[in-house]
Amino acid sequence: MTQTETTWDKLLQIKTTGRDDSHADRFHHPYEPTPYSVLERLSNKGFIGKRDVVLDYGCGKGRVDFFLSYQTKARTVGIEYDERIYQSAVNNQKTSVSRTRTEFVHANAETYAVPPEVNRCYFFNPFSVEILQKVMARIMESWYENPREILLFFYYPADAYISYLMSVDELEFYDEIDCGDLFAGNDPRERIAVYRI
């Protein structure tokens, strides 16, 4: 664990480090927080601001939500299906410096109705492409009911995700935030793919 990880957790007054595989299966991937260095890069790109509402799929312990609401002043909604990990996010909210702009929902992503004010969505490979297809259907329903620009951020995207996203007519590839220089190994997946509805 790098100093950046512990420094940000301490500044935000939360505990989000560590990986948790306890409820992972072929549809739900393990809890692993997005590195703060990646979130810093995302927040500095100007895609998210104080008028935006970010929906964080598979929010885990809430790191993305607390960080983005602190750095960009956006409102954030974290959705988590795992009761125990969801409870960690709720506990973090009690102490977080950005708790007033965050909320958490204990629900399955594929059945969750996307609120009409949501215009940004964040994914760090929280689930299988089968669940992603159902989630995209919920996002599209919300968009058709309330047309607006929605940006989707996919950190460290799996090839299956990219293949599927390229097949969705309403989506266009919008931008890419390269994060390869933040880590050793020259991994081509170290990026945030940005799509727009």
Side-chain angles (χ1 to χ4, degrees), residues 7-133:
T7 301
W8 270 112
D9 258 18
K10 190 176 284 188
L11 175 69
L12 295 172
Q13 297 175 22
I14 57 176
K15 294 177 181 165
T16 61
T17 58
R19 181 182 163 108
D20 187 333
D21 297 58
S22 59
H23 290 131
D25 57 31
R26 68 185 207 108
F27 295 108
H28 304 93
H29 300 159
Y31 166 72
E32 184 175 4
T34 301
Y36 279 116
S37 57
V38 171
L39 293 176
E40 287 172 340
R41 189 152 291 175
L42 171 59
S43 67
N44 289 334
K45 286 293 182 180
F47 291 129
I48 301 170
K50 65 182 176 184
R51 290 186 176 88
D52 296 316
V53 179
V54 182
L55 180 54
D56 175 19
Y57 282 97
C59 70
K61 298 175 183 177
R63 175 181 290 191
V64 168
D65 307 271
F66 296 120
F67 181 89
L68 290 178
S69 62
Y70 178 80
Q71 283 293 90
T72 70
K73 306 303 182 230
R75 279 190 39 237
T76 59
V77 179
I79 182 168
E80 178 58 52
Y81 90 103
D82 185 318
E83 169 71 38
R84 193 171 46 80
I85 294 177
Y86 162 78
Q87 206 52 57
S88 295
V90 171
N91 290 340
N92 278 326
Q93 190 171 26
K94 294 172 186 170
T95 59
S96 172
V97 296
S98 59
R99 63 184 161 268
T100 60
R101 291 184 302 279
T102 60
E103 69 176 274
F104 296 98
V105 179
H106 180 237
N108 287 321
E110 60 268 40
T111 58
Y112 179 69
V114 177
E117 63 273 14
V118 166
N119 66 344
R120 303 289 185 263
C121 298
Y122 182 84
F123 302 80
F124 176 16
N125 295 322
F127 33 64
S128 68
V129 74
E130 292 87 354
I131 292 178
L132 176 62
Q133 291 169 349

Side-chain angles (χ1 to χ4, degrees), residues 165-184:
L165 294 169
M166 289 170 49
S167 73
V168 179
D169 291 339
E170 296 87 351
L171 277 185
E172 67 172 345
F173 178 76
Y174 187 66
D175 204 349
E176 183 173 284
I177 303 169
D178 182 18
C179 300
D181 61 311
L182 299 174
F183 308 97

